[in-house]
Amino acid sequence: MKDLVEYIAKSLASNPEDCKVTEVVEQELVILRLEVAEEDKGKIIGKQGRVAQAMRVLVRVAAVKEGTRAILEIV
């Protein structure tokens, strides 16, 4: 899941080297924190949050395949 989020974020960002994904596991929940450059936040979130929502859906689907729960936070 971490690699998937990192790949999508780096593909969208103008400064792909500033994209960083950290993974925190708490019990059965995986929290993915995506950090991007300030000028890339708009690209990652998208119009009306559609890109961010699509990324969250992909993370949830990947988590279900692994038998866990996951959420994506964009910082």
Side-chain angles (χ1 to χ4, degrees), residues 8-42:
I8 294 170
K10 285 185 177 184
S11 297
L12 293 171
S14 297
N15 301 323
E17 62 277 353
D18 292 339
C19 294
K20 180 181 171 189
V21 180
T22 55
E23 185 174 13
V24 178
V25 179
E26 295 178 0
Q27 296 161 352
E28 295 180 9
L29 179 66
V30 177
I31 301 172
L32 296 169
R33 288 193 177 97
L34 173 61
E35 297 178 35
V36 294
E38 195 66 35
E39 60 269 8
D40 288 332
K41 280 190 180 179

Side-chain angles (χ1 to χ4, degrees), residues 29-68:
L29 179 66
V30 177
I31 301 172
L32 296 169
R33 288 193 177 97
L34 173 61
E35 297 178 35
V36 294
E38 195 66 35
E39 60 269 8
D40 288 332
K41 280 190 180 179
K43 292 178 183 177
I44 299 297
I45 294 172
K47 289 187 178 179
Q48 297 179 355
R50 290 184 182 164
V51 174
Q53 188 62 34
M55 289 174 64
R56 288 185 175 113
V57 169
L58 289 172
V59 166
R60 277 195 297 256
V61 169
V64 168
K65 282 188 166 188
E66 293 181 7
T68 183

